[in-house]
Amino acid sequence: MTSVPTSAGPPARRPVVGPVVGPVVGMVGAGQLARMTQQAAIALGVDLRVLAAAPDESAARVIRDVRIGHHTDLDALRAFAAGCDAVTFDHEHVPTGHVEALAAAGVAVRPGAAALVHAQDKAVMRERLGAAGVPCPAWARVASAADLKEFGEEHGWPVVLKAVRGGYDGRGVWVCDSAEQAAEVLGSGVELMAEAFVPFERELAVLVARSPHGQGVSYPVVETVQRDGICVEVIAPAPGLDPEHAARAQHIALKVATELGVTGLLAVEMFQLPGGRVVVNELAMRPHNSGHWTIEGARTSQFEQHLRAVLDLPLGSPSPVAPVAVMANVLGGADPDVFARYEHVMAHDPGVKVHFYGKEVRPGRKIGHVTALGTDLAEVRARARHAAVHLATGEYV
C-alpha cells in the first residue's frame, strides 16, 4: 500500500524532453485509465501529465510528464496543477477540500468538487438523486443496531450495507440476510448506509459525456456482467433491451450529468428490474471499465471523449462501429507469464484486440482487457472470452 508523504513539497518529476506544443491536461492518478488516456492524448495533440504515487505505476511507465506525489498532499497537487489547462482524475479519492482549494486558486478542475463529491460519498449521491427524482433503491444512513432493525422491518431482508466512502469493485458492500449479520458489519466502525435489496434481472451501464458549456452525448446502453463484485464482461449494446427502455436509461444518465454539473465522463451503473424499469446503483466521474469497448468499438473512444470534454472541445460521435462489441477483462491467475500465451491469442483470432496495463500479475487483479467486434452476439462473446481466459490461465474455452 502506498504511504502518504509526511512532508509537503513539490512532487518529483521526470525530465520532459522537448517543448509543450498543445494543451496540457493533468490527470491525478496513474492507473490503467490514465495509461489508456495517453493513447487518445497523442492523437489529439494533448500533453498528458500524471500525478503518480510511484514511478512504476501503470501510466507512469508510458507517459513522459510524470510527477511523483500523493493525491492527499495539497502542496503536491498545487505544484502538479501549475501550467495545466485542465486537471482531471483517474480515480475519485482526492479529498473534496483539496479539489475546492485548487478551483479557488484558478485551476480548471473537471469535474469540480461540487460534482465529484457525488461519486465519493454514496449518501450525498443518494440524497441529491432522490431530490432530483432519479430512480434509486430505498436507502437510509445507519449508525446503530436499532437503525438496521428499523430499516430491515420496513424494506425486508436481505439488506445491502455500503461503505459511504471508499468502496469499489465489490469492496465496501455487504449483502446481509439478518439483523445479526448486519450488526457484525456495523461493528467494523465504517460509516455505513443501508439499501433495500433490488431483485434485478441484470446490470446495465450508461456512459455519457458533458462539456463545461453544456454539450452532452450518450454512448449506447451496455450490459455489465459481474463476478465476485468485479466486472468480467461488457456487452455493447445491451442485448435485447427495448429501444424505449434504452432511451429512458440514456435520458436518466444525461439528467444526472446535468443535475450534478458533471464535466467530463460520467458512468451511471444501473439495475434493470422486471418490466424494463431501471434504478441507479453507482456513479463514476471518469473513464470507466464499462466503456473500454469504445477504444475499438466506437467512433470516439471514452478516453478521447473525456479529453475533449475537460478541454471544452466539441464532443465526438459516440456511435458504435459494429453491431456488437464485447469487452472481457483479463484477470490475473496463478501463472504470471501472460506473454507466453500472447502468441496463441494473436494467431487464433487476429481480430481480437488486447490491452495490457503494465501491472504485476496477481490472482484476481485486472491486468488487461480484450475486445472483439462482430455481428453475431454469441460468436463475439465466445471470441472475447476465449482470449481473456487463455491469457489469464492458459485454458482453452
Side-chain angles (χ1 to χ4, degrees), residues 265-321:
L265 283 176
L266 170 69
V268 183
E269 299 178 66
M270 302 178 177
F271 294 136
Q272 182 181 349
L273 308 182
R277 189 168 64 89
V278 297
V279 295
V280 172
N281 180 30
E282 303 280 1
L283 303 179
M285 294 181 194
R286 50 173 169 75
H288 191 255
N289 199 183
S290 67
H292 290 352
W293 68 273
T294 63
I295 298 174
E296 286 83 27
R299 299 289 178 190
T300 309
S301 79
Q302 67 164 341
F303 302 100
E304 178 182 340
Q305 200 76 278
H306 188 64
L307 290 171
R308 286 179 178 232
V310 300
L311 289 170
D312 208 11
L313 298 171
L315 300 181
S317 169
S319 300
V321 300

Side-chain angles (χ1 to χ4, degrees), residues 32-105:
Q32 65 261 29
L33 300 179
R35 183 186 179 103
M36 287 183 277
T37 301
Q38 170 69 346
Q39 301 170 11
I42 291 169
L44 288 175
V46 171
D47 275 81
L48 187 65
R49 176 188 300 173
V50 296
L51 183 66
D56 62 347
E57 288 191 323
S58 178
R61 293 172 177 266
V62 298
I63 294 175
R64 70 171 188 161
D65 191 353
V66 177
R67 313 295 171 94
I68 306 301
H70 203 272
H71 63 267
T72 61
D73 183 339
L74 180 55
D75 287 335
L77 288 167
R78 284 175 169 145
F80 171 76
C84 289
D85 294 279
V87 169
T88 189
F89 312 94
D90 97 332
H91 59 70
E92 288 100 351
H93 306 312
V94 179
T96 307
H98 290 6
V99 180
E100 291 171 338
L102 291 177

Side-chain angles (χ1 to χ4, degrees), residues 156-180:
W157 296 89
V159 167
V160 180
L161 292 182
K162 292 183 177 181
V164 170
R165 283 180 173 262
Y168 68 99
D169 276 353
R171 301 170 207 171
V173 178
W174 300 268
V175 180
C176 301
D177 295 317
S178 66
E180 293 74 22

